[in-house]
Amino acid sequence: MTYECILTERHGDGANGMLQTGLIRLNRPKQMNALNDQLMDELGQALLAFDADATIGCIVVTGNEKAFAAGADIAAMKDYDFQHTFRTEYISRNWETMRRVRKPVIAAVGGVALGGGCEVAMMCDIIIAADNAKFGQPEITIGVVPGAGGTQRLPRAIGKAKAMDMVLTNRWINAQQAEAWGLVSRVVPADKLMDEAFTVAGQINSFGQISVMAAKEAVNRAFESSLADGLWYERRLFHAMFGTDDQREGMAAFLEKRPPKFQRP
Ligand code: CO8
């Protein structure tokens, strides 16, 4: 598959049945990786292709050292009108693809993650930030509001007060604040960003794939359900794990004091 607005590669040699990591690099450097329709289409296709590839365990999405992404492409959308966008879902039809991905997706964020860029990062399961990263929702400054989760995922991540501050005043936060506020899970020096992302992905890849996918599903459920429903769902998934070879192998290996050999494709 040839893409124009993203680059893809596989990371890891896949030796001894080790799962590999799929890397997707947003690649419109002249536009600070502004997210146009083509880029979002390609991102969705690449995500689904890696998700369907049995040799891939995790996906890393990144940009470049200046920009993860500076938001939706303002030049591309400036002349849109409501009737056209509503009818065709132009600009929104391809922003939800990430939700269909069942394997973990890690955002490795260097530079700016603004507007739709911050929203794409928040769609991922884990955000690792370079120490030069900046997060913001500047839509208010160009006469619109966030449109891909900024008003929904941000308050869930950092709470209403801070989310309101960012969305209403165009307050940007740096990597350290983002970590302290709970938006990102790790901050590393910029030149170590990809090493860290691949280390985290490699660690996840070493575990049983079914339990990894089930764990992702269960955590995401916490944002979609009541506590009682979520706890019920988690318990059912926990029970279901006892139908897997990986559960038998994982527990046997622990008791036999040896590394587990989880199922591989
Ligand atoms: N769209 C289009 N082009 C952009 C964007 C963008 N979002 N951001 C930067 N660029 C372009 C600039 O126009 C410029 O192009 P050129 O060289 O041709 O003039 C080039 O990238 C470099 O940008 P700057 O010269 O401005 O570089 P600076 O280092 O001075 O500033 C910034 C970098 C801070 C990133 C600045 O460019 C900026 O503020 N960008 C806009 C940020 C913004 O407002 N983002 C929000 C956009 S709206 C949005 O994301 C809504 C998402 C909703 C999705 C809904 C889907 C359903």
Side-chain angles (χ1 to χ4, degrees):
M1 186 78 194
T2 315
Y3 299 113
E4 289 177 8
C5 301
I6 61 169
L7 301 169
T8 62
E9 58 188 71
R10 309 168 72 90
H11 196 269
D13 59 14
N16 304 320
M18 268 299 286
L19 295 171
Q20 294 179 295
T21 299
L23 174 67
I24 302 174
R25 189 179 287 281
L26 311 181
N27 191 37
R28 299 184 73 213
K30 287 196 184 116
Q31 295 85 8
M32 308 283 286
N33 289 336
L35 306 166
N36 64 7
D37 241 40
Q38 184 181 352
L39 186 150
M40 292 308 294
D41 275 342
E42 292 182 4
L43 174 62
Q45 285 165 25
L47 284 167
L48 294 181
F50 280 140
D51 203 36
D53 184 333
T55 63
I56 295 287
C58 265
I59 302 166
V60 172
V61 178
T62 194
N64 56 53
E65 59 286 350
K66 276 197 185 154
F68 178 75
D73 189 324
I74 299 168
M77 66 181 169
K78 72 177 189 355
D79 294 326
Y80 286 172
D81 69 58
F82 171 76
Q83 298 173 90
H84 180 67
T85 50
F86 186 87
R87 201 169 46 241
T88 60
E89 286 228 287
Y90 205 54
I91 203 199
S92 55
R93 66 162 195 269
N94 49 17
W95 283 70
E96 293 278 296
T97 312
M98 179 89 80
R99 281 167 61 88
R100 289 160 52 194
V101 177
R102 298 179 67 204
K103 293 172 184 170
V105 183
I106 298 166
V109 176
V112 291
L114 298 173
C118 187
E119 291 170 317
V120 168
M122 288 191 290
M123 290 173 198
C124 299
D125 302 308
I126 295 174
I127 305 178
I128 301 174
D131 55 7
N132 72 342
K134 290 193 176 65
F135 299 84
Q137 297 287 161
E139 289 89 344
I140 204 80
T141 67
I142 54 170
V144 293
V145 299
T151 66
Q152 303 302 306
R153 291 196 179 94
L154 201 54
R156 283 169 168 80
I158 65 175
K160 176 182 166 182
K162 289 184 163 61
M164 281 288 192
D165 197 346
M166 289 179 67
V167 169
L168 293 179
T169 73
N170 183 31
R171 179 177 180 184
W172 294 11
I173 58 172
N174 62 29
Q176 286 72 24
Q177 281 169 303
E179 186 185 27
W181 292 5
L183 181 60
V184 313
S185 58
R186 304 179 187 211
V187 178
V188 294
D191 62 351
K192 298 279 186 296
L193 178 64
M194 297 316 294
D195 287 349
E196 184 73 8
F198 289 132
T199 300
V200 172
Q203 193 158 17
I204 295 170
N205 288 346
S206 73
F207 301 131
Q209 232 188 342
I210 293 179
S211 51
V212 164
M213 289 161 73
K216 165 171 172 164
E217 219 170 272
V219 174
N220 278 335
R221 191 75 173 207
F223 297 94
E224 310 281 352
S225 62
S226 67
L227 180 60
D229 282 349
L231 289 171
W232 171 84
Y233 186 73
E234 180 195 67
R235 195 162 314 130
R236 285 289 172 267
L237 271 181
F238 182 72
H239 291 156
M241 293 301 107
F242 289 85
T244 66
D245 295 334
D246 285 343
Q247 172 272 326
R248 277 181 286 285
E249 169 61 11
M251 293 190 181
F254 175 82
L255 294 172
E256 292 160 21
K257 303 191 189 305
R258 61 172 174 82
K261 286 189 70 164
F262 291 122
Q263 292 282 305
R264 295 297 177 230

